[in-house]
Amino acid sequence: MLTNWSGNHPYAAARVHRPTSVDELATVVAGAEQVHALGSRHSFTDVADTPGDLVATDALPETVEVDPSRRQVRVSGGTTYGRLAERLHAEGWALATMASLPHISVAGAVATGTHGSGDRTRSLAAAVAGLEYVDATGALRSVRRGDVDFDGSVVALGALGVTTHVTLDVEPSYDVRQDLYVDLPWDVALANLDALTATGSSVSLFTDWASGRVAQVWVKSRGTEPPPTLYGAAAATGTLHMLLGADTAAVTEQGGVIGPWHERLPHFRMAFTPSRGEELQSEYLVPRTHAPAAVSALLSLAPSFAPLLQVAEVRTVAADPLWLSPAYGVDVVALHFTWLRDVPGVYGVLPAIEAALLPLGARPHWGKCFVAPAADLRPLYPRFDDFRALAARLDPEGTFHNQFLTRHLDLP
């Protein structure tokens, strides 16, 4: 039985295809009544499922073509960010950001609005300059930045087609250092949150919410010097994993050792299973102005969900113009939960968390566990109905629709 990476979701598809060419992919899509793309299977729900035909894209020919004059790279959608990063770095190029996991596919991460971290760093999807995809008829379509449908087509949850290639912005390769600090009280962190998240190009705060403290602060920066102050937090004296007792060999190098961007920006090394593997994840991205209220709410709610929590992470993401991006139009603070793989338990506590966070404008990460239906999500996305109209126009028969899209976007 095919399951997602965590093992909590068995795919319901009647058939799974692994085409080895775009022509073969087009034939499969054109002949299917219901079909959906499947990437690296790092989503935790049925967002990439269908009762019909699943199409895995990892067997399509790998393409990594850099255009130095445009500062862009054209990459096959099934390629992982880790593999892309290695190829780019070898040619002297880099991405502006990476997610904490390098194991995820480019097309899948983009389609769900996955992000890295940084006050001035936008989501992975915001780096997209163009998409090529197979539509419901089996025809190959393309859309580029500036086209009328572009901002609705990037974070699209697989509702418009199966992505074959993505064109991304790149920049010259650079180095990053990663410094860790420990034991910062939440009242100090909240009082200095804006300055704290500005101490590096990417800053992560790890907490259990129940102790009232930030256990670890991970600061990734392009500069050669460590942050001048972390508000009383002590510098870590050795390599740390954010999960107590987990193998530190899995995390990227720390201790201020300067190294290539792709070996520091992710939290985890490509060669290792990230986190512990058996887990669930949720994430809510709240407008930055409401972050103090959101943090206070989670500190109050912590006793109700702490037994289910492995660790929580707080990061920042800059605004982008993509219709279904959780950072659409506003700088956000991302509140991430790594849960035990206890499906009933986690889904039992999510309604109270969402009741506290959604009124503050928090938007759930599309690829992670949440319960909010379309009626609750519509007010959070100003272009919600514009996306639904785009999907209806490009896929009038609902070939790419699934239960997830019906439940959360009100697609028929």
Side-chain angles (χ1 to χ4, degrees), residues 14-99:
R15 291 162 296 277
V16 179
H17 306 267
R18 295 185 73 244
T20 58
S21 70
V22 173
D23 286 344
E24 185 182 349
L25 166 63
T27 298
V28 171
V29 173
E33 291 186 10
Q34 289 184 288
V35 63
H36 210 86
L38 184 65
S40 53
R41 296 184 284 127
H42 273 79
S43 293
F44 293 84
T45 69
D46 55 349
V47 62
D49 206 351
T50 177
D53 294 82
L54 273 179
V55 182
T57 58
D58 58 348
L60 293 174
E62 184 174 85
T63 301
V64 179
E65 300 170 345
V66 177
D67 183 338
S69 63
R70 291 179 177 267
R71 289 195 170 195
Q72 293 177 348
V73 60
R74 178 176 178 263
V75 57
S76 41
T79 302
T80 64
Y81 270 95
R83 176 63 178 153
L84 170 61
E86 291 172 349
R87 293 281 299 273
L88 285 175
H89 183 68
E91 297 187 35
W93 294 96
L95 301 168
T97 186
M98 291 183 72

Side-chain angles (χ1 to χ4, degrees), residues 201-225:
S201 55
S202 169
V203 177
S204 293
L205 312 180
F206 289 98
T207 182
D208 63 3
W209 290 118
S211 66
R213 308 186 76 81
V214 177
Q216 299 176 22
V217 182
W218 294 33
V219 181
K220 305 171 194 277
S221 55
R222 298 195 188 191
T224 59
E225 300 297 324

Side-chain angles (χ1 to χ4, degrees), residues 356-379:
L357 297 183
L358 266 60
L360 299 174
R363 298 163 176 162
H365 188 302
W366 294 111
K368 301 180 181 180
C369 301
F370 68 96
V371 297
D376 292 341
L377 297 177
R378 178 178 274 106

Side-chain angles (χ1 to χ4, degrees), residues 20-380:
T20 58
S21 70
V22 173
D23 286 344
E24 185 182 349
L25 166 63
T27 298
V28 171
V29 173
E33 291 186 10
Q34 289 184 288
V35 63
H36 210 86
L38 184 65
S40 53
R41 296 184 284 127
H42 273 79
S43 293
F44 293 84
T45 69
D46 55 349
V47 62
D49 206 351
T50 177
D53 294 82
L54 273 179
V55 182
T57 58
D58 58 348
L60 293 174
E62 184 174 85
T63 301
V64 179
E65 300 170 345
V66 177
D67 183 338
S69 63
R70 291 179 177 267
R71 289 195 170 195
Q72 293 177 348
V73 60
R74 178 176 178 263
V75 57
S76 41
T79 302
T80 64
Y81 270 95
R83 176 63 178 153
L84 170 61
E86 291 172 349
R87 293 281 299 273
L88 285 175
H89 183 68
E91 297 187 35
W93 294 96
L95 301 168
T97 186
M98 291 183 72
S100 58
L101 312 183
H103 310 71
I104 54 180
S105 69
V106 172
V110 164
T112 54
T114 299
H115 59 88
S117 171
D119 288 358
R120 295 178 298 279
T121 303
R122 302 194 299 174
S123 70
L124 300 176
V128 174
L131 291 171
E132 299 163 50
Y133 64 95
V134 173
D135 73 8
T137 69
L140 189 62
R141 289 178 174 259
S142 64
V143 60
R144 292 196 61 85
R145 185 184 290 144
D147 292 347
V148 65
D149 292 336
F150 180 79
D151 286 343
S153 299
V154 181
V155 182
L157 310 178
L160 307 183
V162 179
T163 299
T164 62
H165 294 85
V166 183
T167 299
L168 301 169
D169 297 327
V170 296
E171 60 185 270
S173 191
Y174 54 89
D175 288 336
V176 172
R177 62 177 293 148
Q178 183 168 220
D179 297 275
L180 269 65
Y181 301 82
V182 297
D183 197 24
L184 180 66
W186 257 118
D187 57 351
V188 175
L190 266 183
N192 300 280
L193 188 61
D194 287 346
L196 182 61
T197 61
T199 55
S201 55
S202 169
V203 177
S204 293
L205 312 180
F206 289 98
T207 182
D208 63 3
W209 290 118
S211 66
R213 308 186 76 81
V214 177
Q216 299 176 22
V217 182
W218 294 33
V219 181
K220 305 171 194 277
S221 55
R222 298 195 188 191
T224 59
E225 300 297 324
T229 179
L230 251 296
Y231 304 97
T237 57
T239 300
L240 300 177
H241 198 294
M242 69 285 291
L243 296 177
L244 185 65
D247 186 359
T248 57
V251 299
T252 49
E253 190 160 2
Q254 304 167 7
V257 179
I258 297 172
W261 59 279
H262 65 297
E263 296 179 357
R264 299 293 184 277
L265 290 181
H267 293 335
F268 300 101
R269 300 176 190 265
M270 185 69 182
F272 289 82
T273 299
S275 291
R276 289 196 177 100
E278 293 188 358
E279 64 191 52
L280 300 177
Q281 293 180 16
S282 299
E283 187 171 36
Y284 300 91
L285 294 92
V286 64
R288 188 156 186 152
T289 53
H290 295 155
V295 168
S296 296
L298 292 176
L299 289 169
S300 297
L301 285 170
S304 69
F305 62 73
L308 295 161
L309 188 66
Q310 297 194 56
V311 74
E313 180 180 11
V314 179
R315 294 182 284 175
T316 58
V317 187
D320 64 54
L322 307 174
W323 296 356
L324 290 188
S325 168
Y328 173 79
V330 63
D331 295 340
V332 294
V333 172
L335 307 167
H336 181 273
F337 303 80
T338 297
W339 306 105
L340 298 175
R341 200 179 68 181
D342 178 346
V343 174
V346 169
Y347 278 90
V349 300
L350 289 181
I353 291 173
E354 293 183 9
L357 297 183
L358 266 60
L360 299 174
R363 298 163 176 162
H365 188 302
W366 294 111
K368 301 180 181 180
C369 301
F370 68 96
V371 297
D376 292 341
L377 297 177
R378 178 178 274 106
L380 302 174

